[in-house]
Amino acid sequence: MDFRAFHPPLRTLMGPGPSDVPHRILEALGRPTIGHLDPAFVDLMDEVKTLLQYVMQTQNELTMPISAPGSAGMEACFVNLVEPGDKVIVCQNGVFGGRMKENVERCGAEAIMVQDAWGSAVDPQKLEDALIANPEATTVAFVHAETSTGAQSDAQVLVELAHRHNCLAIVDAVTSLAGSPLKVDEWEIDAIYSGTQKCLSCVPGISPVSFSERAQHRIRNRRRKVQSWFLDMNLIMGYWGQGAKRAYHHTAPVNAIYALHEALLMVHEEGLENAWERHRRNHDALRAGLEAMGLGFIVDEAHRLPQLNAVSIPAGVDDAAVRTRLLREHHLEIGAGLGDLAGKVWRIGLMGYSSRIENITACLGALDAVLTDMGAPINHGVALPAAEKVLAAA
Ligand SMILES: *Cc1c(COP(=O)(O)O)cnc(C)c1O
């Protein structure tokens, strides 16, 4: 056998994550590894927490990165806040709400599902009806930015409803964090989790989480131990907690934390509001190009995410063939449809460092070339000028 070092092809990542990782962050990843209890690393951990508090807009003391991907952040929120026999209301409008249901059931609790069509936002009225019908519910969970459809829900309104009915709110912000407005304290979110590989443009594999005072109170007063040893926040706090002497819990992914720190620094330097605004402006440009080409969005304008654009695949066009050609000929990755939307939509991500003008023009140019060559019913040669007109006006 002839084994060689792996050198990945250079790609432009415009799918649902991971997004393009800037050189600056990859460079941070390659710095020398030090011990995870080294005083220099402990200082870095404190700074990561402070920067995460800024990016999440929260003063929550219990704010930290979980050493595993977004799915582990999701699981951390459920296993810490839900106990066997609890009733949890899960609002589902795409793939990730379905995973929340799985988590609830694996905690031995009952999931009350509130369903909305894929591509729609969560309907607050349906949540309120479910809260009234289930007064013993303890928790409400929903996805702020549904990456499977490109729809965003009104987190502030949904959390307020949960609180009015004495429930805590768990919010999935994997795709929203740093890409569109998210204010943990102002919106009084109790438990939130995100991921590093979407709008933070960091390497995959870490999940920032934050828990409010109310959530911490519930965690401290559980009837029984958290079923997961690794994700038990009571134990993790011994390692990540401020002030207290750090005790070994697990070995932090030291180099990945360097990368996360660099990613958070980049958001801080740009300014969080400026990052939100960049995502919105670039979405407007991409959208003008796609619409000029004749491609339509599946989410109505009021609920569209700027960082995840789900567009309908024109009739008669072979979904997989287009994506294969984009990758082979243009080194461009866009996302396929998930679940009910498989084969029906493309998901074009403009997340974090991928939300750049050169990516927009590359994507529109490549799509125009491939679709035109395949004889697809699109308007040729008009996408780029339409996008550029929007960018020039901004
Ligand atoms: C990507 C994503 C996740 C899962 O994150 P991983 O890092 O892939 O585990 C969860 N929720 C949403 C909304 C996502 O987009």
Side-chain angles (χ1 to χ4, degrees):
M1 288 288 251
D2 181 21
F3 294 114
R4 288 159 200 266
F6 178 65
H7 293 280
L10 283 179
R11 306 290 198 205
T12 298
L13 300 179
M14 298 183 71
S19 46
D20 286 340
V21 181
H23 181 73
R24 195 175 145 181
I25 292 175
L26 292 175
E27 191 270 324
L29 194 68
R31 291 177 195 154
T33 303
I34 58 175
H36 68 110
L37 292 170
D38 188 306
F41 188 69
V42 170
D43 286 348
L44 180 76
M45 288 163 75
D46 285 339
E47 208 168 297
V48 165
K49 278 179 68 170
T50 306
L51 285 165
L52 272 180
Q53 286 170 330
Y54 164 68
V55 173
M56 290 183 156
Q57 297 281 285
T58 181
Q59 301 294 322
N60 287 341
E61 174 57 27
L62 192 44
T63 302
M64 68 182 64
I66 298 273
S67 305
S71 304
M74 178 188 281
E75 192 142 345
C77 289
F78 285 93
V79 297
N80 280 281
L81 291 178
V82 177
E83 295 204 53
D86 285 356
K87 263 193 185 181
V88 178
I89 299 179
V90 175
C91 304
Q92 179 174 19
N93 60 340
V95 167
F96 292 99
R99 293 191 177 180
M100 290 178 149
K101 174 174 190 274
E102 277 292 322
N103 271 277
V104 169
E105 290 173 350
R106 284 164 198 238
C107 291
E110 186 189 346
I112 313 285
M113 300 304 290
V114 173
Q115 299 284 353
D116 276 291
W118 290 36
S120 300
V122 171
D123 180 351
Q125 186 59 54
K126 286 189 192 169
L127 171 59
E128 185 160 28
D129 293 346
L131 284 161
I132 291 166
N134 297 279
E136 66 285 25
T138 63
T139 310
V140 167
F142 63 89
V143 179
H144 184 210
E146 240 308 342
T147 325
S148 63
T149 68
Q152 66 180 321
S153 295
D154 191 333
Q156 188 171 17
V157 165
L158 298 174
V159 172
E160 197 195 315
L161 278 172
H163 288 168
R164 209 182 297 155
H165 294 267
N166 296 316
C167 287
L168 297 189
I170 297 176
V171 179
D172 178 318
V174 177
T175 282
S176 51
L177 184 69
S180 42
L182 171 66
K183 300 176 179 180
V184 170
D185 284 358
E186 193 179 315
W187 299 353
E188 300 187 350
I189 293 170
D190 296 294
I192 189 160
Y193 59 92
S194 189
T196 41
Q197 79 279 30
K198 308 222 175 172
C199 296
L200 289 176
S201 267
C202 189
V203 290
I206 297 188
S207 176
V209 296
S210 184
F211 294 89
S212 71
E213 278 299 330
R214 275 184 300 265
Q216 289 183 56
H217 182 263
R218 183 185 285 182
I219 295 170
R220 281 195 299 269
N221 293 284
R222 285 177 61 97
R223 298 186 293 277
R224 46 162 108 186
K225 279 185 180 177
V226 173
Q227 76 204 50
S228 162
W229 176 85
F230 183 65
L231 294 174
D232 184 342
M233 294 312 295
N234 291 303
L235 303 177
I236 294 175
M237 272 310 280
Y239 180 46
W240 273 93
Q242 211 108 30
K245 194 177 168 310
R246 311 274 175 154
Y248 169 62
H249 176 260
H250 66 279
T251 309
V254 171
N255 291 61
I257 298 290
Y258 302 164
L260 173 59
H261 180 259
E262 198 70 26
L264 294 169
L265 271 187
M266 287 181 74
V267 177
H268 189 255
E269 284 166 14
E270 180 178 16
L272 188 59
E273 281 83 6
N274 294 335
W276 296 340
E277 174 57 19
R278 169 171 53 83
H279 282 87
R280 196 199 53 73
R281 193 174 60 238
N282 287 341
H283 159 78
D284 284 346
L286 179 77
R287 166 193 140 176
L290 292 170
E291 287 179 344
M293 206 184 283
L295 297 177
F297 283 72
I298 63 160
V299 176
D300 70 61
E301 211 171 329
H303 302 109
R304 253 177 232 165
L305 280 169
Q307 61 273 53
L308 196 285
N309 299 270
V311 294
S312 300
I313 298 174
V317 171
D318 181 345
D319 165 30
V322 171
R323 283 183 294 107
T324 302
R325 283 193 60 179
L326 289 174
L327 195 66
R328 284 216 190 117
E329 297 164 17
H330 299 269
H331 304 286
L332 172 69
E333 178 179 286
I334 64 169
L338 272 187
D340 292 355
L341 295 174
K344 296 184 185 143
V345 302
W346 288 314
R347 292 180 300 148
I348 304 177
L350 283 176
M351 299 187 186
Y353 189 61
S354 288
S355 179
R356 304 200 303 293
I357 292 174
E358 62 259 47
N359 278 18
I360 296 168
T361 50
C363 176
L364 292 173
L367 262 180
D368 191 338
V370 169
L371 290 174
T372 302
D373 187 59
M374 290 171 74
I378 59 141
N379 308 313
H380 171 58
V382 293
L384 278 175
E388 262 147 25
K389 202 168 141 196
V390 171
L391 290 168

